Amino acid sequence: MPRLVRLICPAVLAAFLAAAGAVPAMAQTDDCDSVVTQADINACADRDYEDADQALNATYKATVAIMKEYDIASATPQNGALARLKAAQRAWVTFRDAACEAEGFIYRGGSVEAAVVANCMTRLTQARTEDLMLLEDRN
């Protein structure tokens, strides 16, 4: 069976069964503690990552402002805190994406792969947010 068909058929079947009332649909529920299907688990994992990413973006924005202030206040030609933060963040994103792809690789093509990758992205994103918060606390 072609890979595309193997990927699409389960999703189409799940949607059909949910529409027919045979399987309860998640329907935008906030209750990710009681999910049953892999599709719902994947959706909850994606939502957790989106929440973690939003928190990271807000923290990063605040850290950028601190680094800008530091650069402005620096009387030495060695300022560059903002440039270093941006370089570190770009490198971290590359690391996170590669690390999570590797973590999910053993499940390549399986229905759980998406949840494994999303959970990894959430975990590493939350850790990065904590790291940036520590940086903010030092200033």
Side-chain angles (χ1 to χ4, degrees), residues 11 33 53 124:
D33 292 331
D53 192 50
L124 294 183

Side-chain angles (χ1 to χ4, degrees), residues 55-130:
L56 173 64
N57 289 335
T59 303
Y60 180 74
K61 185 177 180 180
T63 306
V64 164
I66 290 169
M67 293 304 185
K68 280 181 183 178
E69 289 176 22
Y70 180 82
D71 282 347
I72 290 168
S74 178
T76 67
Q78 296 178 350
N79 66 0
L82 179 59
R84 287 175 180 85
L85 173 66
K86 288 181 176 182
Q89 191 67 11
R90 282 190 297 274
W92 175 82
V93 167
T94 299
F95 161 77
R96 180 203 59 198
D97 293 351
C100 292
E101 183 179 352
E103 194 169 306
F105 199 83
I106 61 172
Y107 304 101
R108 178 69 59 186
S111 60
V112 74
E113 179 185 7
V116 169
V117 171
N119 287 333
C120 175
M121 300 276 281
T122 299
R123 186 180 72 251
L124 294 183
T125 299
Q126 289 170 337
R128 179 63 178 161
T129 301
E130 291 175 17

Side-chain angles (χ1 to χ4, degrees), residues 13-25:
L13 178 61
F16 173 77
L17 292 174
V23 176

Side-chain angles (χ1 to χ4, degrees), residues 1-85:
M1 182 182 298
R3 178 174 164 78
L4 182 60
V5 173
R6 286 193 319 253
L7 293 174
I8 292 175
C9 284
V12 170
L13 178 61
F16 173 77
L17 292 174
V23 176
M26 196 164 107
Q28 302 291 350
T29 183
D30 289 329
D31 186 14
C32 283
D33 292 331
S34 61
V35 296
V36 177
T37 68
Q38 187 62 52
D40 289 349
I41 292 168
N42 292 352
C44 286
D46 285 343
R47 191 166 52 211
D48 288 346
Y49 168 65
E50 289 171 12
D51 292 346
D53 192 50
Q54 287 178 0
L56 173 64
N57 289 335
T59 303
Y60 180 74
K61 185 177 180 180
T63 306
V64 164
I66 290 169
M67 293 304 185
K68 280 181 183 178
E69 289 176 22
Y70 180 82
D71 282 347
I72 290 168
S74 178
T76 67
Q78 296 178 350
N79 66 0
L82 179 59
R84 287 175 180 85
L85 173 66

